[in-house]
Amino acid sequence: MKLYDRYAAKSVVSIALLAVLLCTLMLVSVDLFSHLDSYLTNKVDAFTIARLTVLGVPEAVLFVLGPSLLFAATFYLSQMQANNEFICLLGSGLSYRRLVTPLLVVGLLLSFAQFGFSEQVYIPAYRLKNSAEDQMFGMHGTYDSNNITLTDEQGKYVVHAKQYNDKLKRLAQVMLVLTDDTGALQQRIDASWAFWEEDSGRWRLENVRIEQVNGTSMQVNSIGEETYYVPRFTLAPSYFRNLSNDIKTMDIKTASQYLKRIAIVDPHRYPALATDFSKRILDCLNPLVMLFIACTISYKYKKNILLLSIITSLGIAVIYYVVQMLTLIMAKQGVIGPIWGMAIPMIVIVCIALAERIAIR
């Protein structure tokens, strides 16, 4: 059985590597020619073009790895069926489950490999490529955001800002609502601007109107100030930033800590950020999912075994990606949990693959 395990793993991996190589070259070529006009317009030298192209290779590899494994496993298993090799192996007392076990082990190992490749190769290359393109074409990624509402961890105040300018570390049209220990309204502070002071770690409010509530008489006293500081208002500027893309590229520990904090200070942004983070982590299971699809579908066709098997596996894979797209949208809207956005497509695809196998049997 060790001989068969090595043969099965080697066959699938060799076909998958060839498919990854060809598909990666295709994607890199498409990306190169799509940007060729921009390169020529900006008179980019050949070395820089080659560097940007090479930095795009890791992203292409991650994109094609899953489908390539699906094709490789389907090709291998359909050939085994067409050449009646399954009859010999099953007749020797081996179960179909045992025959596909090495393929699933390969899928599991490649899932771990994809996770490591994504974190150690793809993300650094993605950062370098974006930075180089921004400098080359004069584009700058922005962390500016609009209509931000945050609260502190203790729930002692709520702050709303019409706009955040990351370059100036400035908030515009700020409204700050402070509460006491019982949760009762204590103050409402409106300011035209708020500037972050790095040295003191606090916000400086300018052109301020303060409305103080007297808890005993329930009277409201209003005063104006040119400059005002609120000691408890110390939320760092990073919580006002638009980090929808950074959550996919920052290191995992930092991203996890940021999500825990953002779940408290800004619950409205949490579903979208948590969904992107969940996708980043669970996307590494694509090789295992694709190989599971290939191992689960039936190959008991009477004619055109290879063609029909590939069509079936690709059809199920398309369903998987479409369902994933829909569930991720639902997760970002907060309809379902972030993890379920990735888990539901896997559950659906397992059910469909098993149903197809039972129907053909």
Side-chain angles (χ1 to χ4, degrees):
M1 281 310 299
K2 290 184 178 180
L3 180 63
Y4 169 77
D5 291 343
R6 289 196 298 269
Y7 170 74
K10 182 180 178 181
S11 299
V12 172
V13 170
S14 59
I15 298 173
L17 287 176
L18 181 60
V20 166
L21 177 62
L22 294 176
C23 293
T24 299
L25 289 175
M26 286 174 39
L27 289 180
V28 169
S29 300
V30 170
D31 181 73
L32 174 62
F33 285 108
S34 64
H35 289 88
L36 191 59
D37 182 62
S38 299
Y39 294 151
L40 295 177
T41 302
N42 291 273
K43 299 180 180 180
V44 182
D45 59 272
F47 176 78
T48 304
I49 295 176
R51 178 172 177 267
L52 291 175
T53 302
V54 171
L55 289 175
V57 170
E59 183 178 9
V61 170
L62 290 179
F63 187 80
V64 304
L65 179 59
S68 297
L69 286 169
L70 176 64
F71 168 77
T74 303
F75 179 83
Y76 167 74
L77 293 174
S78 62
Q79 288 298 105
M80 292 277 287
Q81 178 70 26
N83 297 331
N84 296 322
E85 294 177 73
F86 271 142
I87 295 177
C88 299
L89 292 171
L90 294 174
S92 64
L94 299 175
S95 64
Y96 181 78
R97 184 182 303 173
R98 177 62 184 85
L99 296 178
V100 299
T101 296
L103 305 188
L104 297 178
V105 172
V106 169
L108 183 62
L109 294 177
L110 287 176
S111 294
F112 286 111
Q114 177 173 322
F115 180 78
F117 181 83
S118 175
E119 297 298 320
Q120 302 299 324
V121 180
Y122 161 65
I123 290 179
Y126 180 82
R127 290 173 180 165
L128 289 174
K129 184 180 180 182
N130 280 355
S131 177
E133 288 180 343
D134 289 347
Q135 294 178 2
M136 187 185 311
F137 301 127
M139 299 181 300
H140 299 282
T142 178
Y143 292 115
D144 296 355
S145 54
N146 299 310
N147 296 319
I148 319 105
T149 302
L150 304 177
T151 184
D152 70 322
E153 292 184 344
Q154 290 76 32
K156 294 297 183 63
Y157 64 84
V158 177
V159 58
H160 174 80
K162 191 71 174 178
Q163 184 188 52
Y164 169 71
N165 186 308
D166 188 63
K167 184 178 181 180
L168 301 176
K169 298 291 188 294
R170 183 189 68 189
L171 298 172
Q173 299 183 32
V174 183
M175 181 183 71
L176 192 63
V177 177
L178 282 67
T179 59
D180 57 21
D181 294 334
T182 63
L185 179 62
Q186 189 178 41
Q187 277 184 334
R188 169 174 168 165
I189 302 173
D190 292 275
S192 298
W193 308 101
F195 294 89
W196 176 254
E197 295 184 348
E198 194 69 39
D199 296 336
S200 59
R202 57 181 180 173
W203 292 91
R204 183 182 75 251
L205 306 179
E206 295 187 355
N207 193 14
V208 184
R209 187 179 76 255
I210 305 170
E211 295 178 349
Q212 179 79 36
V213 179
N214 190 316
T216 305
S217 61
M218 298 306 294
Q219 291 182 346
V220 178
N221 300 319
S222 181
I223 58 174
E225 297 283 352
E226 287 296 325
T227 303
Y228 190 73
Y229 292 93
V230 180
R232 70 179 82 171
F233 183 30
T234 57
L235 279 176
S238 60
Y239 294 105
F240 294 92
R241 288 177 177 173
N242 178 11
L243 293 178
S244 56
N245 290 326
D246 272 23
I247 199 71
K248 301 176 184 177
T249 57
M250 65 175 65
D251 65 89
I252 292 180
K253 184 177 180 180
T254 303
S256 178
Q257 293 173 348
Y258 178 80
L259 282 176
K260 290 179 181 178
R261 186 79 184 272
I262 208 69
I264 299 173
V265 301
D266 192 0
H268 297 290
R269 278 198 298 164
Y270 175 76
L273 294 174
T275 300
D276 287 337
F277 184 70
S278 298
K279 186 177 186 301
R280 170 184 169 181
I281 299 298
L282 297 179
D283 249 356
C284 66
L285 294 177
N286 277 342
L288 181 59
V289 172
M290 294 296 107
L291 285 176
F292 180 84
I293 293 173
C295 294
T296 307
I297 64 174
S298 175
Y299 295 90
K300 296 182 179 180
Y301 299 102
K302 297 183 182 297
K303 296 180 179 179
N304 300 321
I305 297 175
L306 175 60
L307 177 61
L308 293 175
S309 299
I310 291 178
I311 292 175
T312 302
S313 60
L314 288 178
I316 296 177
V318 168
I319 294 174
Y320 170 73
Y321 284 114
V322 170
V323 174
Q324 184 186 87
M325 179 183 67
L326 295 175
T327 54
L328 287 177
I329 292 174
M330 295 172 64
K332 289 183 178 182
Q333 296 297 323
V335 178
I336 58 178
I339 295 180
W340 285 109
M342 293 295 294
I344 290 177
M346 297 179 186
I347 296 173
V348 169
I349 213 64
V350 168
C351 295
I352 292 177
L354 291 175
E356 188 272 343
R357 183 170 181 81
I358 293 173
I360 297 296
R361 180 176 294 178

